[in-house]
């Protein structure tokens, strides 16, 4: 069979496929419901035998509250740095000594930055600062299980002015502590 005959046979074989009518998607009638007034939500179930909710202490009086202490002053950093200024090394040594002397205290190490630079970069820098301080405290004998490093970035500014002196106050690590004694919770209300 010649080449022309093969091409002709192939075209004739495919011709019915090319002439087939396209399949149309099924037509669906749109069903709409007339707008009606919104039905009120059913009331929440009430349980006649339910005990009243217990009175809980206010957050200020809770043992779960972390607070700042004057024994743990902020430590400061140069712009873009993760190591503290030399003058703050003594404050870190004192913080480590206080934490070793108070083994029931848990500590949150919060890293802050100034507003110079992108927020994402500042948040990462704040995390590295907090982590550096945490590692410093661990090398000084404070158990790592008692320390939580948190990045706060540009939040919590102490000074909003863009002057270098003002911004240097924002580049810091702040300490918050609370007692680690177990909290006694009761499932029954006190009367």
């Amino acid at each position: 069979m010649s080449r022309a005959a093969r091409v002709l046979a192939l075209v004739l074989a495919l011709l019915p496929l090319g002439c087939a009518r396209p399949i149309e998607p099924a037509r669906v009638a749109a069903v709409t419901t007339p707008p009606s007034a919104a039905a009120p939500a059913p009331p929440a179930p009430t349980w006649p035998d339910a005990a009243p909710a217990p009175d809980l202490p206010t957050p200020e009086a809770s043992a779960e509250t972390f607070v700042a202490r004057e024994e743990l002053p902020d430590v400061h950093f140069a712009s873009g740095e993760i190591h503290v200024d030399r003058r703050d090394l003594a404050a870190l040594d004192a913080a480590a000594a206080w934490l070793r002397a108070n083994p029931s205290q848990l500590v949150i190490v919060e890293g802050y930055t100034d507003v110079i630079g992108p927020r994402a970069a500042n948040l990462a820098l704040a995390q590295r600062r907090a982590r550096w301080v945490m590692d410093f405290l661990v090398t000084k004998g404070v158990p790592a299980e008692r320390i939580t490093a948190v990045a706060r970035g540009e939040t919590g500014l102490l000074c909003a002015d863009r002057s270098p002196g003002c911004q240097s106050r924002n580049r810091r690590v702040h300490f918050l502590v609370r007692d680690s004694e177990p909290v006694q919770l009761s499932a029954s209300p006190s009367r």
Side-chain angles (χ1 to χ4, degrees):
M1 189 183 221
S2 71
R3 180 177 171 104
R6 276 190 251 152
V7 170
L8 181 60
L10 182 61
V11 168
L12 289 176
L14 294 176
L15 186 63
L17 294 176
C19 293
R21 196 174 70 160
I23 300 173
E24 293 182 22
R27 296 180 189 211
V28 179
V31 178
T32 59
T33 56
S36 62
T46 57
W47 305 99
D49 60 343
D55 293 328
L56 297 176
T58 60
E60 295 81 28
S62 172
E64 293 293 316
T65 304
F66 282 81
V67 296
R69 296 194 54 114
E70 65 182 44
E71 296 91 344
L72 303 170
D74 292 352
V75 292
H76 296 87
F77 299 81
S79 182
E81 296 295 322
I82 62 168
H83 300 86
V84 295
D85 295 336
R86 288 189 188 276
R87 66 181 183 271
D88 287 323
L89 280 177
L92 272 180
D93 283 331
W98 188 87
L99 288 167
R100 284 193 314 270
N102 294 279
S104 67
Q105 296 293 308
L106 300 177
V107 63
I108 296 176
V109 178
E110 296 180 316
Y112 292 92
T113 63
D114 55 27
V115 295
I116 309 302
R119 282 184 194 260
N122 283 340
L123 195 60
L125 178 60
Q127 181 64 38
R128 289 195 312 272
R129 286 175 175 167
R131 185 64 196 197
W132 185 88
V133 170
M134 177 182 172
D135 291 343
F136 180 91
L137 294 173
V138 169
T139 63
K140 296 294 183 173
V142 180
E145 305 82 49
R146 293 176 45 206
I147 308 169
T148 302
V150 177
R152 301 283 186 218
E154 301 172 7
T155 63
L157 295 177
L158 296 178
C159 188
D161 184 32
R162 291 235 175 203
S163 69
C166 177
Q167 290 301 310
S168 68
R169 292 180 51 209
N170 294 326
R171 297 186 300 264
R172 70 194 188 282
V173 163
H174 181 70
F175 298 96
L176 297 172
V177 294
R178 79 165 174 88
D179 195 47
S180 66
E181 297 299 320
V183 177
Q184 183 85 21
L185 295 178
S186 172
S188 62
S190 58
R191 297 206 190 253

